[in-house]
Amino acid sequence: MRRPRPFTGAPAEADLPGQPGSGRQHEGPALHRDQSLPLVPRQDLLTGGPWPLPRTPTACRQARSALRHALRQWGMEHFTDTAELLVSELVTNAVRYAPGPIHLTARGGHALRCHIDDGSRLLPRLHNARPDDEFGRGLALVDQLASDWGVDLTDRGKSVWFELKGAKPF
């Protein structure tokens, strides 16, 4: 499956919420936001959050703890290490670059999907960090390790999400 690529410019008028083309920023045919995990509650879909996160250095620790607890409850511990790393990267970006409240929501079922919502409509960009750069690798890690990821514009800002798929190891 082709991974969405974040839009690197300002959103066009047609990309505003509630209008055609709103939401996902990527190349290729239009995909619906919840193609793999619907937002409509179902018995096979587990939801955790939204968990509010502080705009402090403790935000990543709190996000990892909430996610770890949910994954344990759902029997999805095999995603823990990768999910914690990716959530940490995206929460760090939200704390560093976005104003307003930050929330983490996780959905489990046949896959794990995590959303980090923030108050900015500025869309993230992949960077090619040099070996001596201290920043700029977060989205590259998400791109490499997630089964899928993307950015949805919302009424209050944006939601950066990733999805992990894979069977539980024996």
Side-chain angles (χ1 to χ4, degrees), residues 48-117:
W51 295 292
L53 300 171
R55 301 193 56 73
T56 66
T58 65
C60 290
R61 182 178 69 224
Q62 290 180 23
R64 288 190 305 266
S65 177
L67 184 59
R68 186 179 322 111
H69 180 72
L71 292 174
R72 193 175 321 118
Q73 285 186 323
W74 299 342
M76 299 178 76
E77 297 94 338
H78 58 288
F79 289 128
T80 301
D81 292 340
T82 303
E84 284 185 357
L85 173 63
L86 300 185
V87 161
S88 291
E89 293 297 336
L90 295 180
V91 168
T92 297
N93 286 350
V95 169
R96 180 170 285 159
Y97 301 114
I102 302 168
H103 292 88
L104 165 64
T105 304
R107 293 189 174 91
H110 68 279
L112 172 67
R113 188 163 181 167
C114 296
H115 294 257
I116 291 76
D117 300 321

Side-chain angles (χ1 to χ4, degrees), residues 22-77:
S22 68
R24 256 167 121 107
Q25 307 296 323
H26 64 87
E27 297 173 354
L31 299 174
H32 297 286
R33 175 182 174 148
D34 293 294
Q35 186 175 24
S36 59
L37 289 176
L39 285 177
V40 177
R42 295 181 2 202
Q43 287 183 332
D44 63 337
L45 183 65
L46 307 162
T47 301
W51 295 292
L53 300 171
R55 301 193 56 73
T56 66
T58 65
C60 290
R61 182 178 69 224
Q62 290 180 23
R64 288 190 305 266
S65 177
L67 184 59
R68 186 179 322 111
H69 180 72
L71 292 174
R72 193 175 321 118
Q73 285 186 323
W74 299 342
M76 299 178 76
E77 297 94 338

